[in-house]
Amino acid sequence: LMHRVLELDPTDADYHWLSAAIQAALNRSEAAVEAARLGLQHDPQHVNCRNLIARERIKTGQVAEAGSLIRSSLEIDPTNAETLTLLGDLQLREGDVTAARQSYDQALMVAPGNSEAQSGLSEARRAGNAVYRRLLPLLLVGEKATQDEPIGTRVVLLALIVVLWGGAAKLPVWQTP
C-alpha cells in the first residue's frame, strides 16, 4: 500500500514522512531514517521528517545528531509541540531534568492533550526526585534479587517510596500465586 501512495507523488515530503512513520512503528529504525531523509531531499524544512529522524536517533543514543535536528526544527517552528517534546526527551536522556521539565511544559502549553509530553513530564518529575533516582535500579521489575540485595530490601524501599509519594492509596495491589 505504501508504495502505491509514493507512486502518486514521489516528490511530496509528506508521503516520505508517512512511509518513515510506518517503518518506525515497525521498529525499522534505519529504514525510517532513510525514508525521512528522502522527504528532506524534497523539502529541507519539513519538520515532521526532522522530528522523526531525531526521535529515532534518541532511541539509538545518537544524541548529537538528534540535538542538531531538534534545534533546526525549533528554528523553523518554535511552537511545534512534538519538537518541544523531543527536546525534553533529549534533555532528560542527558540528565538535565530541569530543562526537560521546561520543554515538556512548553509542549503542553501548545498542545495540552499531548500524551507524550505528559508522560515525559511525569518521568522528568520522577527523575528529579533524588530518592527515586537512587532506588530505581533496586526496583526494576523482573530483576532477580542477589545475596547482596535480598528481596526484603526491595519491599522496604518500595514502602518508603510510597510514603514519600503520598501514601498507600497509590500503591498497586499485587497478588502472589
Side-chain angles (χ1 to χ4, degrees), residues 20 30 33 45-46 54 58 61-63 68 92-94 99-100 110 120 130 137 146 153 157:
E30 288 309 311
V33 168
Q45 303 294 308
H46 199 277
I58 290 171
Q62 298 173 25
V63 294
S68 176
L92 190 57
R93 182 180 181 101
E94 293 177 332
V110 173
T146 65
T153 303
L157 293 175

Side-chain angles (χ1 to χ4, degrees), residues 66 85 121 147:
T85 300
L121 183 57
Q147 289 181 345

